């Protein structure tokens, strides 16, 4: 294929600078152009650009149908599918513009076979892959067949799956467009897919390889089961292997496998370099032809859950507990709310005299997590953590116990203290002692103070009064930025001050233990019922009303 053209009827070579822009060549085309620029072995290719698609869809009947589709609500599945089907039908009846067909005549070798691949502007992005939702045609020969395959690829922008996928992610249909990559077919001995991170476990240090003889059409379409390998990227060791229809997963096994050990190493090494190029784990289609490795396409893996931010500086295993789920908030938090909780968690530990060697609070995927690694590592604190979880999160206990049974050397070497110098230790001890004395004082006040039935009401009155004073201090800020800063600082102070009335109410545990000693056994259900009936408690009232609704 001749690829030295700058632009022939809306066709560009992947070697051209403009080809690296998704707005010109779509996600797949732009990634291939970037790979080619970086020196990876990419089959010779050109791209029919987005401009050709826009020229076709600018015709009145098609433009009107796409506008109608865009106006349909995401829930209108039947109407979406009806309109998408009409758009596909109309598009496949169209011909490419005359100048584009003339460009193909100059570029296509009638004696060669080509892979014609869809390349949408909204695909192969970090948050949306559209994997397998648009058409690809292999072994296409001749200018006419290539031209028809290009049109069909453009029409596949409106497959039912692609339309539903865009609607679910809020991508307007009239803002999506399609380019088409035309690649010389590689006479492949073996082909497959490489994930530079294991999509099943989420491990970034494990590569996942699926391989099959030939071009791998069946593997990509899901009609053939290939050999499957999991490889430790740090050591090169094969962690797991299973044979597909081809036999054994590697030549070193009994039988004839698709890949040998050297090819596995080459794949993993190449995948690592591609991951570095795009700065994200990649889903890569590849082929071996003779002694050469060819890269057919690469896209981000969109199914991996994000890593915690900030990421730990060490390489040890960290154990995170979802603060979101503990609070019953399973959806993503707004950034300011995430910042609030991270600041609050850090402030609480600091005021208690604890300065963790690794941040206790972190965020991933818009959720807030607590790093429990230091607690899990401690022989004294780990049992206390599990005992505390018995009261509110029994499901987490078996999972944490599994982690605790692993080799302790796997866990990150973090602690609740930042350092062990005399000055740091004395400072931490002083702050912790002050907090402990306040806590003991609040507990004693709750035991000997006012009548029990007034405690919850007085606690609410205190909180309301503190809140009014806090709002006054916040509103005194001169600017929005200053008021936001004051809000965060005051909220942190409120949380710490609120511990006092909360601890006053902790006398419930003292009386609960006393009742357990005085009363005969078998009264656990009665005690539990009694504990749920605290009057004037917002959470109790809310749950009772929710129970009524459920009934």
């Amino acid at each position: 294929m001749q690829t030295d053209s700058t632009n022939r009827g809306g066709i560009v070579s992947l070697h051209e600078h403009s080809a690296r822009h998704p707005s010109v060549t779509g996600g797949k085309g732009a990634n291939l152009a970037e790979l080619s620029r970086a020196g990876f072995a990419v089959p010779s290719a050109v791209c029919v650009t987005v401009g050709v698609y826009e020229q076709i869809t600018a015709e009145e009947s098609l433009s009107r149908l796409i506008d109608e589709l865009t106006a349909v609500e995401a829930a209108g599945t039947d109407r979406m599918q009806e309109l998408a089907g009409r758009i596909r039908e109309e598009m496949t009846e169209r011909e490419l513009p005359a100048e584009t067909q003339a460009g193909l005549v100059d570029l296509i070798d009638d004696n060669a076979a080509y892979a014609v691949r869809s390349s949408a502007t909204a695909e192969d992005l970090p948050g949306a892959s559209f994997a397998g939702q648009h058409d690809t045609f292999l072994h296409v020969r001749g200018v006419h067949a290539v031209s028809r395959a290009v049109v069909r690829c453009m029409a596949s922008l409106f497959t039912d799956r692609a339309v539903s996928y865009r609607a679910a992610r809020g991508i307007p249909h009239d803002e999506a467009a399609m380019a088409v990559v035309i690649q010389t077919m590689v006479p492949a001995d073996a082909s497959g897919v490489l994930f530079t991170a294991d999509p099943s476990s989420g491990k970034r240090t494990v590569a996942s390889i699926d391989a099959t003889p030939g071009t791998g059409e069946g593997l990509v379409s899901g009609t053939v089961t290939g050999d499957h390998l999991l490889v430790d990227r740090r050591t090169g060791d094969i962690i797991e292997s299973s044979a597909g229809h081809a036999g054994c997963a590697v030549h070193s096994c009994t039988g004839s496998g698709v890949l040998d050990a050297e090819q596995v190493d080459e794949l993993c090494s190449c995948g690592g370099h591609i991951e570095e190029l795009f700065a994200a784990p990649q889903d890569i289609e590849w082929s071996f032809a003779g002694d050469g490795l060819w890269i057919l396409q690469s896209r981000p893996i969109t199914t991996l859950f994000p890593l915690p931010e900030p990421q730990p500086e060490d390489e040890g295993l960290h154990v995170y507990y979802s603060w979101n789920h503990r609070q019953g908030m399973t959806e993503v938090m707004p950034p300011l709310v995430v910042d609030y909780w991270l600041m609050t968690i850090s402030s609480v530990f600091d005021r208690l005299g604890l300065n963790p060697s690794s941040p206790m609070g972190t965020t991933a995927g818009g959720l807030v997590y607590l790093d429990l690694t230091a607690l899990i590592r401690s022989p004294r604190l780990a049992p206390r953590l599990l005992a505390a979880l018995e009261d509110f999160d029994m499901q987490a206990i078996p999972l944490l116990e599994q982690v605790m049974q692993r080799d302790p050397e796997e866990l990150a070497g973090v602690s609740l203290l930042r350092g062990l110098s005399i000055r740091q230790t004395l400072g931490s001890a002083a702050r912790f002692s002050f907090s402990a004395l306040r806590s003991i004082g609040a507990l004693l006040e709750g035991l000997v103070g006012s009548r029990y039935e007034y405690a919850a009401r007085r606690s609410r009155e205190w909180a309301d009064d503190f809140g009014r004073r806090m709002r006054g201090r916040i509103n005194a800020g001169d600017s929005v930025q200053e008021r936001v800063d004051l809000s965060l600082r005051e909220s942190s102070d409120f949380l710490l001050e609120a511990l006092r009335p909360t601890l006053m109410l902790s006398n419930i545990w003292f009386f609960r233990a006393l009742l357990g000693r005085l009363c005969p056994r078998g009264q656990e259900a009665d005690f539990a019922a009694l504990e749920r009936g605290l009057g004037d408690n917002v959470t109790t009232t809310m749950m009772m009303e929710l129970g009524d609704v459920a009934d």
Side-chain angles (χ1 to χ4, degrees), residues 249-287:
V250 288
H251 285 317
S252 58
C253 300
T254 304
S256 178
V258 177
L259 301 177
D260 60 34
E262 290 183 2
Q263 289 174 318
V264 171
D265 289 342
E266 184 178 358
L267 258 181
C268 290
S269 175
C270 182
H273 293 309
I274 294 175
E275 182 178 274
E276 290 179 9
L277 175 66
F278 292 113
Q282 295 291 298
D283 167 3
I284 302 166
E285 288 186 24
W286 52 268
S287 286

Side-chain angles (χ1 to χ4, degrees), residues 321 325-326 385-402:
Y321 181 81
H325 287 75
R326 172 66 190 93
L385 171 64
L386 298 184
L389 288 173
E390 288 182 358
D391 290 329
F392 55 80
D393 195 353
M394 293 288 293
Q395 293 89 340
I397 295 176
L399 299 174
L400 291 174
E401 286 177 335
Q402 289 180 25

Side-chain angles (χ1 to χ4, degrees), residues 332-478:
V332 171
M333 288 180 173
L336 183 59
V337 178
V338 170
D339 288 346
Y340 163 76
W341 280 115
L342 293 180
M343 185 203 69
T344 299
I345 292 167
S346 176
S347 176
V348 167
F349 275 88
D350 185 62
R351 295 203 184 193
L352 289 175
L354 302 174
N355 297 287
S357 55
S358 180
M360 288 295 293
T362 186
T363 179
L367 306 181
V368 174
Y369 290 85
L370 297 178
D371 188 341
L372 302 183
T373 312
L375 300 176
I376 293 296
R377 282 181 59 90
S378 170
R380 292 184 178 180
L381 297 179
R384 295 178 183 272
L385 171 64
L386 298 184
L389 288 173
E390 288 182 358
D391 290 329
F392 55 80
D393 195 353
M394 293 288 293
Q395 293 89 340
I397 295 176
L399 299 174
L400 291 174
E401 286 177 335
Q402 289 180 25
V403 175
M404 293 166 62
Q405 291 170 3
R406 299 175 67 157
D407 184 352
E409 295 300 320
E410 291 186 57
L411 291 172
V414 296
S415 71
L416 291 176
L417 298 177
R418 183 172 293 135
L420 295 176
S421 69
I422 295 177
R423 183 175 61 82
Q424 288 174 321
T425 301
L426 290 176
S428 295
R431 286 196 301 275
F432 184 78
S433 298
F434 177 73
S435 299
L437 289 172
R438 289 191 66 190
S439 301
I440 293 171
L443 282 167
L444 292 174
E445 185 179 352
L447 286 171
V448 301
S450 60
R451 293 175 60 190
Y452 184 81
E453 56 263 34
Y454 299 139
R457 189 187 69 196
R458 292 183 62 187
S459 177
R460 290 184 60 187
E461 290 173 351
W462 173 89
D464 290 341
D465 180 61
F466 191 99
R468 281 191 293 269
R469 288 185 279 116
M470 185 173 70
R471 285 196 300 272
R473 291 191 291 269
I474 292 170
N475 290 332
D478 295 329

Side-chain angles (χ1 to χ4, degrees), residues 108-132:
I108 298 300
D109 181 352
D110 285 337
N111 296 317
Y114 297 94
V116 183
R117 301 176 181 273
S118 303
S119 180
T121 54
E123 76 176 348
D124 293 356
L125 303 175
S129 72
F130 286 86

